[in-house]
Amino acid sequence: MVPSRFVWAAAAAGCPDNAAGGRSGQSPAHAAHACQVTAHTGCTALRGTRTVHGPCRSRNRRMMKRLASTALTLLVAALGGGLFALAGLPAAWLMGAMAAVAGGALGGLTLRLPSPLGSAAFVLLGISMGAGVTPDTLHQMASWPLSMALLAGSVMACLYACSAWLERVHRWDPATARYAAVPGALGAVLVLAAESRADLPRVALAQSLRLFVLVAAMPWLLDLVSSTPGLPPRPALSDPAGALPELALLVGASALAGLLFQTLRVPGGVLLGAMLGSALLHGSGLVDHRLPGWLLNAGFVVTGALIGSRFAGVTLASLRAALRPSLESVALALVLSSIFAWAGGWLLGLPFGQLWLAYAPGGVEAMTIVAFVLGLDTAFVGTHHVVRFAGLGFLARWWQPRRG
């Protein structure tokens, strides 16, 4: 088990891949420890001492290794996305990149991406999502309160059912079962689990497996049970040179909005902030152009690589031990959330697929991006996942198992 001081040190050190922030790009079970070691042995901490020269001399070497690892990760992700696209699979660039990087990481390759690259991808995707926000989104807001109530019921049902399944069927200890059953909110879950007797690596692996399965399965499932419009075609820029000022305004304002949301600690802040900034610019008529399709595909590739790189450092033995319980838990959560989505569709007249994705137990960014890939209402799905994340924050202490 990773001691709780490692997790809190990761948050204090401000590492871009720390467990407290819940960001991808590093194995969650090791992120806190890695950041704690960096905070205490890095060159900055040793500046002014006689031992500073040794660590700092190897800084360039470490930087080159990181750059090589990043380049390899992007190459593997792009190849996976390209193969899925050639095969005509749904959400090809996202799913292919995720599957290829996860397979490479499990195979022993050193695959990782720096956090700023992930943030840049979220800004690009948020810009494109915001351009698709329509007046219908505003009209549907009247139905959101009832939908949020159904979301609360879905979250509670998944918490109780999945934790009971893991504890009683697979004999996981109560603390591990409870934290593994929390839908999303990986960073907050790891911080709380580190203070308990939970098996922290198992919790992190179960959470990562759930996110992987949801991103891989939801496009297929929604394609089977409901019609999804998919991404609209991206019109080519008729005057690329004339569009540059607008695109610069769009990217700059959306990036600033994402940075503001991240500073305010809004869940999925970079993505949702960029989406809001883009929606305001397009809605006001200040901007009329959209990003080209190849930039969207690049954003999907980076996002898929971030999800796949969560499996870095995971051994095949630990994967085998957690795979069946985790898959059964995800399947149970999907069944329960689909029941609430069906009820929401009947009561509110909203598309079943949109509601199911909004109630699915995944992360804010991942589920919002999947909604975007499938052509569903990203504002609706993203807002529901932010509300779920906030609600879990209030429930977290209550959900902690009692100490024996």
Side-chain angles (χ1 to χ4, degrees):
M1 180 183 297
V2 179
S4 61
R5 67 178 184 276
F6 286 176
V7 179
W8 292 116
C15 290
D17 293 321
N18 64 65
R23 298 175 187 165
S24 303
Q26 186 175 10
S27 175
H30 301 101
H33 176 68
C35 288
Q36 192 267 352
V37 170
T38 301
H40 287 285
T41 64
C43 295
T44 302
L46 295 173
R47 185 178 296 159
T49 70
R50 293 186 179 276
T51 58
V52 70
H53 304 290
C56 286
R57 283 175 181 169
S58 61
R59 183 169 55 185
N60 289 338
R61 189 183 308 162
R62 292 197 301 268
M63 185 179 298
M64 292 303 298
K65 286 184 178 179
R66 292 192 189 102
L67 289 174
S69 176
T70 299
L72 178 61
T73 305
L74 292 175
L75 176 61
V76 170
L79 288 174
L83 288 174
F84 273 49
L86 287 175
L89 299 178
W93 290 100
L94 177 67
M95 289 175 51
M98 180 184 70
V101 172
L106 290 171
L109 294 178
T110 304
L111 301 177
R112 55 182 293 176
L113 289 179
S115 182
L117 188 57
S119 297
F122 290 154
V123 167
L124 293 177
L125 295 176
I127 288 172
S128 299
M129 292 177 190
V133 174
T134 64
D136 289 339
T137 302
L138 302 178
H139 295 154
Q140 288 183 7
M141 285 185 178
S143 65
W144 287 14
L146 179 55
S147 180
M148 296 295 181
L150 290 169
L151 171 66
S154 175
V155 169
M156 295 304 298
C158 291
L159 280 174
Y160 276 108
C162 293
S163 63
W165 184 270
L166 292 173
E167 183 178 350
R168 297 176 185 177
V169 176
H170 293 284
R171 302 300 178 186
W172 287 20
D173 65 89
T176 302
R178 284 197 168 208
Y179 288 120
V182 175
L186 174 63
V189 168
L190 289 180
V191 169
L192 294 173
E195 298 177 333
S196 70
R197 297 179 179 177
D199 185 341
L200 194 58
R202 178 175 286 186
V203 171
L205 182 54
Q207 293 276 352
S208 297
L209 281 169
R210 177 170 60 232
L211 181 62
F212 183 93
V213 170
L214 286 172
V215 173
M218 289 303 286
W220 294 85
L221 292 174
L222 291 175
D223 206 33
L224 287 174
V225 302
S226 66
S227 59
T228 54
L231 277 174
R234 314 295 298 180
L237 294 176
S238 57
D239 181 16
L244 284 179
E246 277 195 17
L247 292 177
L249 172 63
L250 178 62
V251 173
S254 300
L256 286 175
L259 180 61
L260 175 62
F261 272 47
Q262 185 182 45
T263 303
L264 296 175
R265 305 199 175 199
V266 176
V270 175
L271 179 74
L272 298 181
M275 182 172 70
L276 178 60
S278 174
L280 291 175
L281 287 174
H282 282 93
S284 64
L286 291 174
V287 171
D288 189 42
H289 292 91
R290 300 190 179 195
L291 297 180
W294 64 269
L295 270 179
L296 277 188
N297 291 338
F300 292 140
V301 166
V302 171
T303 303
L306 287 171
I307 297 172
S309 64
R310 286 183 172 218
F311 294 92
V314 174
T315 64
L316 292 178
S318 62
L319 179 64
R320 282 193 296 267
L323 186 59
R324 181 180 172 185
S326 300
L327 291 179
E328 292 174 356
S329 174
V330 175
L332 181 58
L334 282 174
V335 170
L336 291 172
S337 59
S338 70
I339 294 172
F340 282 89
W342 176 85
W346 181 69
L347 291 170
L348 304 172
L350 296 177
F352 168 78
Q354 177 177 306
L355 288 162
W356 195 12
L357 201 53
Y359 300 167
V364 177
E365 295 98 340
M367 294 297 97
T368 307
I369 291 171
V370 170
F372 176 56
V373 172
L374 298 177
L376 300 174
D377 189 339
T378 54
F380 180 90
V381 173
T383 302
H384 277 66
H385 281 281
V386 170
V387 170
R388 174 181 56 78
F389 187 97
L392 288 172
F394 288 108
L395 293 174
R397 295 291 176 182
W398 165 80
W399 183 244
Q400 281 184 310
R402 296 178 180 178
R403 296 181 182 274

